[in-house]
Amino acid sequence: MLTADIDVDRSIVTFRSEDDKTELTVSTAPLSTVEATPAAHLIPSPGVSAETALKQTAEIITSLTDSNGYIHIDFSDVISICASAAIRIIRFNAGDDPSKAFSDVLAAQGIDPSCCDGALINIGAPTNIGLAEATSLVTIVQEAIQDDALIIWGLSLDSQQKDTEITVILAEPEKELPVHDAFITQQHYDRKDAQMMQGETMDIPNTPIRFLDLIGLDNEQLKDFTIRLNGNKPAWFDVLDAYYSSHDALMEWMFIKQWPGEKVKGSFKQKKVLQFIQLHQEDPTKWLFIGAFEVLGEYQKEDGTVAYDYREIPQYAPLDARAVVYYKKRQGPTQLMNDMGNDELRNRFSETMTLDHLSQSPISSLPFPGFENVRLTHRQLVAAVGNDTWKTSLGSVQAIYLQTDRRTGWHYVGSAYSHKGAEQGLLSRWSEYAYGDHSGGNKRLKELGVKYIEDNFQYSILEIFDMRALPKDIINREHWWMDTLGSVYHSEDEHPHGYNSVTERNSDNPVE
């Protein structure tokens, strides 16, 4: 159970978990003056006092995370969006024209959504809303903000509710937000509305939900699609790993029609395609939906490879890397390409491809792969340290970890150990990199800047230790890895390639 404590004198609201651990601090003061981590900067709209804005924020966030939604929002989702950002919360009724309603409330509050790089969206709706309609509401927000923004959304259903109400937390980098901008709208918000958000929710029925029905594709519409099932073969290409670590390269691979000197293997017979990747190598029946795309034409590369141009169909994008489906392939060929123009295939997919589950956020669909296989972008790191499964694993070990600058190839080797009461090992250390300036106190990393790290850094684990290992033993291994990977920066080196300082390498004392 989440609690929210408001300190009017300090202009903050502190959200705490059941064990009284501070999970997030929201302040109406700039983040540069806030000592707590993680924290978010709340900017009241003109005419709204700091105290009123904090009370509204406390009530909205606790109501969103405490309700048992059809698609639930965890507090970790709130942290993923809000931490180290300036946030704005708006609420509006969808009405007959939700796009106009969203635009109107943005204009009324003077908000430019194109500056936002994250959004948490909760849809409170009657129980008769379809998932296709819900995702179309998410798309309205998604299309207004940055193309690469992190989107997390939830759906709460109430049999007593007549109108569909959308709550949006918009986040943008603190340094880019004018302090006088409007923030919270009062539109349609009172205690009765907050109670409505905590009303009855509809349980997911026990009978299988046909995925293609769920996304609004009837038999006739499905004829325009190919379904591509990309199997996971780590021996030569791990598609699940590639989706999270080399997304652009994977997408290019999935739209190859013909490799040089080979027969055509990836021909799309229809103008649209639904792409899936195998979720677990050992389970050929679970598939992660990664998007619907329109095939625009084909072109030939210099090496002779024939590939397709494509663009994503936005109405299905909110389900990317969140919808996991069950589908058991027939015995026989690989069934990579499945033409829905074929009546038999179309009927088979319509009847037997069912929804297994919807994840809260894209990282939730990624199973913890084992410590030796962890490799995360910064955006994935933020989601991972807020995800219960990953938190349990990362918090159970001490470790030597590696940060890699994918643009330059430079490395930073670090250690995470329990010291002076810190009991969460690697989780504690990686949480420091997820929020704030992402530097962990390292001077060279700090000089790179927040945006550079978010765009270019990758995080992996070199070696793990149980929680009883002594800090001095871990530090000795950390130094060994620094020397092995050459991660220490020496000014006299002709071609330096490390972010560790000489001081870090020579220090044998645990960090205070």
Side-chain angles (χ1 to χ4, degrees):
M1 180 70 178
L2 188 70
T3 60
D5 299 325
I6 298 174
D7 187 330
V8 176
D9 294 334
R10 297 169 60 202
S11 297
I12 64 171
V13 55
T14 303
F15 294 92
R16 291 190 172 91
S17 57
E18 289 183 349
D19 58 2
D20 203 36
K21 176 187 174 183
T22 298
E23 299 287 350
L24 177 68
T25 299
V26 177
S27 173
T28 55
L31 287 179
S32 58
T33 66
V34 180
E35 296 181 359
T37 301
H41 183 189
L42 167 65
I43 303 175
S45 58
V48 176
S49 68
E51 181 178 0
T52 300
L54 290 170
K55 287 181 178 178
Q56 293 170 353
T57 302
E59 195 165 9
I60 289 172
I61 290 179
T62 53
S63 68
L64 293 183
T65 56
D66 288 346
S67 62
N68 294 317
Y70 184 80
I71 301 176
H72 184 60
I73 290 176
D74 276 346
F75 194 68
S76 60
D77 297 324
V78 177
I79 294 176
S80 295
I81 295 296
C82 297
S84 304
I87 60 172
R88 308 159 177 264
I89 301 178
I90 61 175
R91 302 187 83 180
F92 62 96
N93 282 334
D96 295 329
D97 190 345
S99 181
K100 183 178 184 301
F102 181 54
S103 298
D104 287 348
V105 73
L106 291 176
Q109 297 298 319
I111 298 173
D112 178 7
S114 65
C115 296
C116 300
D117 60 3
L120 182 71
I121 307 164
N122 188 74
I123 301 167
T127 54
N128 62 354
I129 190 174
L131 189 60
E133 181 182 351
T135 56
S136 70
L137 296 174
V138 176
T139 300
I140 290 172
V141 179
Q142 186 176 34
E143 291 181 341
I145 63 180
Q146 294 179 12
D147 291 340
D148 60 348
L150 175 63
I151 303 288
I152 298 175
W153 66 282
L155 176 62
S156 298
L157 303 179
D158 186 345
S159 59
Q160 304 300 314
Q161 190 164 329
K162 295 182 179 180
D163 300 322
T164 298
E165 185 177 74
I166 299 99
T167 302
V168 183
I169 301 179
L170 293 169
E172 59 183 276
E174 162 78 357
K175 62 183 180 181
E176 298 179 9
L177 187 69
V179 297
H180 56 77
D181 271 2
F183 167 59
I184 293 181
T185 175
Q186 290 274 82
Q187 184 170 349
H188 303 299
Y189 184 80
D190 56 24
R191 184 170 296 276
K192 180 178 179 181
D193 287 334
Q195 291 171 344
M196 180 183 296
M197 294 299 292
Q198 296 177 341
E200 297 178 9
T201 57
M202 186 177 75
D203 294 331
I204 297 177
N206 292 326
T207 54
I209 300 174
R210 296 175 182 173
F211 178 71
L212 298 172
D213 288 345
L214 193 67
I215 62 176
L217 289 177
D218 60 27
N219 192 274
E220 193 64 29
Q221 293 169 319
L222 191 56
K223 290 180 180 179
D224 294 333
F225 283 83
T226 297
I227 292 180
R228 175 165 169 146
L229 302 176
N230 299 281
N232 202 358
K233 305 290 185 183
W236 59 277
F237 190 56
D238 189 330
V239 291
L240 184 62
D241 176 77
Y243 181 80
Y244 288 95
S245 61
S246 308
H247 184 270
D248 291 344
L250 174 66
M251 296 306 297
E252 181 180 6
W253 175 79
M254 290 194 301
F255 283 91
I256 295 294
K257 178 181 180 180
Q258 183 179 11
W259 298 99
E262 295 186 7
K263 295 181 180 180
V264 175
K265 293 183 178 180
S267 178
F268 294 119
K269 294 184 178 180
Q270 305 301 331
K271 296 181 179 179
K272 300 175 183 178
V273 57
L274 300 175
Q275 292 275 13
F276 296 84
I277 58 177
Q278 188 176 338
L279 190 59
H280 305 287
Q281 181 189 3
E282 65 279 4
D283 184 354
T285 66
K286 299 292 174 55
W287 301 88
L288 181 66
F289 174 71
I290 60 170
F293 304 88
E294 185 177 359
V295 180
L296 303 177
E298 59 184 67
Y299 65 96
Q300 187 167 0
K301 299 182 180 182
E302 292 183 0
D303 64 358
T305 300
V306 179
Y308 289 103
D309 276 322
Y310 64 92
R311 65 183 172 206
E312 186 165 15
I313 303 173
Q315 72 187 82
Y316 306 104
L319 293 178
D320 290 1
R322 295 185 62 187
V324 176
V325 303
Y326 171 89
Y327 179 75
K328 186 175 182 179
K329 296 194 296 184
R330 299 171 301 173
Q331 292 184 347
T334 61
Q335 298 158 58
L336 172 69
M337 311 293 286
N338 299 274
D339 176 16
M340 294 297 100
N342 179 292
D343 292 344
E344 181 183 352
L345 266 181
R346 185 172 67 256
N347 291 334
R348 176 178 173 82
F349 273 87
S350 295
E351 295 291 332
T352 65
M353 177 174 275
T354 57
L355 180 68
D356 185 80
H357 67 272
L358 285 173
S359 299
Q360 298 158 7
S361 60
I363 193 70
S364 302
S365 294
L366 179 63
F368 186 76
F371 295 105
E372 70 278 11
N373 295 317
V374 169
R375 185 169 62 220
L376 302 171
T377 65
H378 187 271
R379 188 176 293 276
Q380 294 161 14
L381 177 71
V382 173
V385 299
N387 178 273
D388 289 342
T389 300
W390 283 72
K391 285 170 68 175
T392 299
S393 298
L394 298 178
S396 67
V397 297
Q398 305 179 93
I400 309 297
Y401 58 86
L402 179 68
Q403 297 185 61
T404 301
D405 184 336
R406 294 179 297 172
R407 178 175 292 186
T408 65
W410 285 33
H411 293 309
Y412 176 87
V413 174
S415 60
Y417 44 82
S418 296
H419 183 59
K420 291 196 173 183
E423 298 295 340
Q424 292 187 300
L426 183 57
L427 175 62
S428 296
R429 188 58 172 157
W430 274 13
S431 295
E432 295 176 13
Y433 290 119
Y435 308 119
D437 63 9
H438 313 325
S439 72
N442 178 275
K443 179 181 177 181
R444 296 193 183 281
L445 296 183
K446 186 175 294 187
E447 290 173 349
L448 293 175
V450 170
K451 185 70 165 59
Y452 183 90
I453 291 175
E454 290 176 348
D455 290 344
N456 297 291
F457 267 52
Q458 176 179 283
Y459 302 80
S460 55
I461 299 171
L462 297 172
E463 190 171 350
I464 61 171
F465 307 83
D466 66 39
M467 298 301 282
R468 295 170 295 178
L470 298 176
K472 66 180 182 64
D473 294 331
I474 298 174
I475 292 171
N476 287 338
R477 291 298 297 166
E478 177 187 23
H479 292 167
W480 186 89
W481 279 108
M482 288 181 186
D483 295 341
T484 300
L485 297 175
S487 67
V488 179
Y489 180 91
H490 296 280
S491 58
E492 65 272 15
D493 287 349
E494 184 177 356
H495 300 291
H497 55 276
Y499 288 116
N500 288 107
S501 67
V502 174
T503 301
E504 288 173 321
R505 170 59 184 86
N506 294 335
S507 175
D508 293 324
N509 297 318
V511 176
E512 297 296 327

